[in-house]
Every structure is written in structure tokens, then in C-alpha cells.
């Protein structure tokens, strides 16, 4: 038995994050935007329950530069980037 009562919960949360990332990878592989939408929905539900959804923004299409899911944002005139991404892409 683990002396850390939260260890199991953290492992399960990490498994959930990895599963969401795998859904996004499948969406890119199969070019299926509905899978991205479902993964985002799962992440939003997790956030409403108080859980960190993990880094999912790179799996969304960028509304500013139209970068496809799984690709980097493109620097466009008049649009600032934060940590290599447009802030609009990082908002759930």
C-alpha cells in the first residue's frame, strides 16, 4: 500500500491526459476534426470537475493563422504569439 493517498489519483489523471492526447493524435492521423472536438469536450469536462486537462492547445487548429492540429503556429503580422502559439489557440 502506498503511503501517498493521492498517488493513485495522480496516476489515473495522467492516464486520462495520455488518453486525450492519443485521441488528438488519432484525429491528426485520420484527419478527423470530430475526434478533436470530442477530446476537447473531455478536457472541458475535466476542467469543470477541477482537474487539469493538460496541454491540449497544440492539437487544436489555430483560428489566427490556420495552423492545422499537431503543427506549430505561423508568425503573422499584427498578431502576437506567446510561447510560440497564438493566445486564441490556447483558450478552451
Amino acid at each position: 500500500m502506498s503511503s501517498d493517498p493521492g498517488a493513485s489519483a495522480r496516476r489515473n489523471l495522467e492516464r486520462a491526459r495520455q488518453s486525450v492526447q492519443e485521441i488528438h493524435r488519432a484525429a491528426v492521423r485520420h484527419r478527423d476534426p470530430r475526434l478533436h472536438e470530442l477530446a476537447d469536450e473531455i478536457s472541458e469536462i475535466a476542467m469543470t470537475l477541477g482537474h487539469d486537462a493538460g496541454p491540449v492547445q497544440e492539437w487544436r487548429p489555430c483560428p489566427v493563422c490556420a495552423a492545422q492540429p499537431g503543427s506549430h503556429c505561423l508568425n503573422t503580422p499584427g498578431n502576437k504569439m506567446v510561447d510560440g502559439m497564438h493566445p486564441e489557440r490556447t483558450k478552451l
Side-chain angles (χ1 to χ4, degrees):
M1 182 173 202
S2 174
S3 62
D4 181 1
S8 177
R10 285 192 298 278
R11 279 193 303 274
N12 286 336
L13 181 58
E14 186 55 32
R15 283 180 53 215
R17 286 181 188 153
Q18 290 172 356
S19 296
V20 167
Q21 292 297 327
E22 184 57 36
I23 294 168
H24 281 300
R25 283 190 289 274
V28 170
R29 194 169 45 250
H30 298 289
R31 297 183 177 157
D32 186 344
R34 181 65 182 135
L35 288 175
H36 285 297
E37 293 169 12
L38 291 170
D40 283 347
E41 189 173 329
I42 292 168
S43 297
E44 288 174 16
I45 291 167
M47 287 176 42
T48 63
L49 296 172
H51 302 289
D52 178 12
V56 296
Q57 59 268 17
E58 65 266 19
W59 298 105
R60 295 189 183 103
C62 182
V64 175
C65 68
Q68 292 301 305
S71 64
H72 298 288
C73 281
L74 304 171
N75 196 1
T76 56
N79 293 292
K80 68 177 183 164
M81 290 176 60
V82 177
D83 296 327
M85 285 189 198
H86 291 107
E88 295 85 351
R89 190 177 192 179
T90 62
K91 294 177 184 159
L92 274 178

